């Protein structure tokens, strides 16, 4: 598999994983009882970007590795997924 394709797929996986990781472990200002005037109560009290980026990178790397093993090494692909609907052609 070309290196550019591998990086492109990793970037897509990383970006989707980022939005799944963002709400993990976040405490709102309302939960911390320290609402800053002019902000909504549901805003994060403390945002740790390093933790989010590191966790996203690790999870995306594991997903990328699993995808690589299944598709490139074991040969599974889209056609390997069973169809649960009838063919109409």
């Amino acid at each position: 598999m070309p290196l550019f394709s591998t990086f492109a797929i990793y970037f897509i996986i990383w970006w989707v994983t980022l939005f799944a990781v963002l709400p993990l472990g976040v405490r709102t200002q309302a939960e911390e009882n320290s609402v800053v005037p002019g902000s909504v109560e549901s805003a994060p009290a403390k945002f740790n970007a390093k933790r989010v980026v590191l966790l996203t990178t690790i999870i995306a790397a594991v997903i990328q590795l699993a995808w690589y093993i299944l598709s490139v090494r074991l040969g599974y692909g889209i056609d390997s997924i069973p169809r649960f609907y009838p063919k109409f052609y």
Side-chain angles (χ1 to χ4, degrees):
M1 169 175 279
L3 190 61
F4 181 76
S5 297
T6 303
F7 283 127
I9 292 169
Y10 179 76
F11 178 74
I12 292 169
I13 292 171
W14 191 92
W15 198 252
V16 171
T17 306
L18 172 68
F19 289 107
V21 168
L22 272 175
L24 297 179
V26 174
R27 293 190 46 89
T28 63
Q29 291 180 7
E31 292 172 339
E32 294 286 328
N33 292 327
S34 62
V35 178
V36 176
S39 68
V40 293
E41 293 179 350
S42 60
K46 298 174 192 166
F47 179 69
N48 190 352
K50 289 180 185 178
R51 183 187 70 83
V52 170
V53 169
L54 181 65
L55 189 59
T56 301
T57 303
I58 292 170
I59 293 172
V62 169
I63 293 170
Q64 172 79 11
L65 180 64
W67 174 83
Y68 180 80
I69 290 171
L70 286 173
S71 66
V72 175
R73 296 292 178 199
L74 298 179
Y76 290 106
I78 296 295
D79 295 333
S80 301
I81 300 172
R83 262 186 285 232
F84 297 105
Y85 56 88
K87 294 182 183 178
F88 292 109
Y89 54 89

